[in-house]
Amino acid sequence: MEAAGEIELYNDWFGRADVDRDNRLSGAEAVAFFGKSGLNKQTLFKVWQGVAGDRPYLSRQEFYTAMKLVAVAQGHGGVLEDGLMARVVNGLGGRVGVPRMAG
């Protein structure tokens, strides 16, 4: 479960990323925002697949989960291991910090 400060931060980031204000994050919006993480496109695609699968957007809650996966990948040298990704997506990954985002 996220701490109150993390939820506020994620809400702020979601608002910045959701450029068209439709309360969901399109693939293009995600690419623009997640690129601030410094992770390579392959890892970011894996984050997307782990949270959204083949759907063309992320909900707000899925965005929160994606941010956790970004933080995990950053903490593991840019690599997102499948087992750990599944645990985080299913809420079993334990405490995950906030990712570092440029800008």
Side-chain angles (χ1 to χ4, degrees), residues 6-54:
E6 287 180 16
I7 292 173
E8 289 177 16
L9 179 62
Y10 290 157
N11 277 330
D12 178 58
W13 284 353
F14 186 85
R16 293 171 191 243
D18 183 20
V19 176
D20 62 7
R21 304 286 182 245
D22 65 353
N23 207 33
R24 58 188 193 176
L25 208 61
S26 70
E29 290 169 326
V31 166
F33 187 80
F34 291 172
K36 297 176 181 185
S37 70
L39 296 173
N40 66 46
K41 289 182 181 182
Q42 180 180 4
T43 300
L44 293 175
F45 181 74
K46 191 169 185 176
V47 167
W48 181 275
Q49 287 291 298
V51 178
D54 292 331

Side-chain angles (χ1 to χ4, degrees), residues 71-89:
V72 167
Q74 287 175 336
H76 288 90
V79 176
L80 187 57
E81 188 268 328
D82 290 340
L84 182 54
M85 179 175 70
R87 288 192 299 278
V88 170
V89 167

Side-chain angles (χ1 to χ4, degrees), residues 56-70:
Y57 64 87
L58 295 177
S59 69
R60 185 176 296 263
Q61 187 61 46
E62 290 166 336
F63 173 79
Y64 298 163
T65 302
M67 289 288 89
K68 290 180 183 182
L69 292 176
V70 166

